[in-house]
Amino acid sequence: MDCLFCSIVKGDIPSTKVYEDETVFAFKDINPMAPVHVLIIPKQHLSSVNDVTAENSAVIAHIYEVAAKLAKELGIDESGYRVVSNCGADAGQTVFHLHFHLLGGKKLRVDMC
Ligand code: 5GP
Ligand code: ZN
């Protein structure tokens, strides 16, 4: 299957990695919307939140652990940040490998919809 983020996990497409372990990979967004803009993804290919099930949901909890750890390391844990995953067309999802945006380092807009 041809997937941009699977290729990034494999190292076939370069990225600026900020974290990696057995199940999770995190890298800088190529088009940052904030001073800190990191994408945290499961290594396993899931297309979106729609693919999360009881069988694979442990990695989602782990992604939030990684988000908290990276927020601390990147110095935004006290100032605040947002973790968001766009699912499908109405949310503006453009890459169909599940990913969580970690955004911070400035006062983020609050228009959620
Ligand atoms: P979405 O719109 O699907 O929620 O977010 C996809 C994100 O992936 C966008 O913020 C976009 O800038 C980022 N992105 C797309 N292609 C690449 C790439 O090749 N490398 C990196 N590092 N980020 C990418
Ligand atoms: Zn993928």
Side-chain angles (χ1 to χ4, degrees), residues 9-111:
V9 168
K10 279 188 270 177
D12 293 344
I13 290 176
S15 69
T16 306
K17 181 171 79 175
V18 295
Y19 178 82
E20 180 176 15
D21 64 27
E22 275 181 24
T23 58
V24 167
F25 194 88
F27 54 103
K28 288 189 178 175
D29 195 291
I30 204 167
N31 182 27
M33 306 296 278
V36 173
H37 190 171
V38 170
L39 299 173
I40 311 173
I41 69 174
K43 286 186 170 177
Q44 177 192 7
H45 181 88
L46 302 172
S47 293
S48 72
V49 173
N50 281 341
D51 282 356
V52 177
T53 65
E55 282 67 44
N56 61 32
S57 63
V59 73
I60 308 301
H62 185 48
I63 281 171
Y64 273 86
E65 282 177 49
V66 171
K69 172 185 153 61
L70 291 179
K72 199 168 187 123
E73 283 176 14
L74 296 168
I76 56 170
D77 57 324
E78 298 293 337
S79 50
Y81 58 93
R82 184 169 293 151
V83 180
V84 64
S85 185
N86 298 317
C87 180
D90 278 359
Q93 184 178 6
T94 58
V95 178
F96 285 80
H97 179 127
L98 177 62
H99 52 279
F100 292 78
H101 299 259
L102 171 63
L103 294 151
K106 71 167 188 180
K107 185 90 177 157
L108 300 170
R109 291 201 312 265
V110 291
D111 48 337

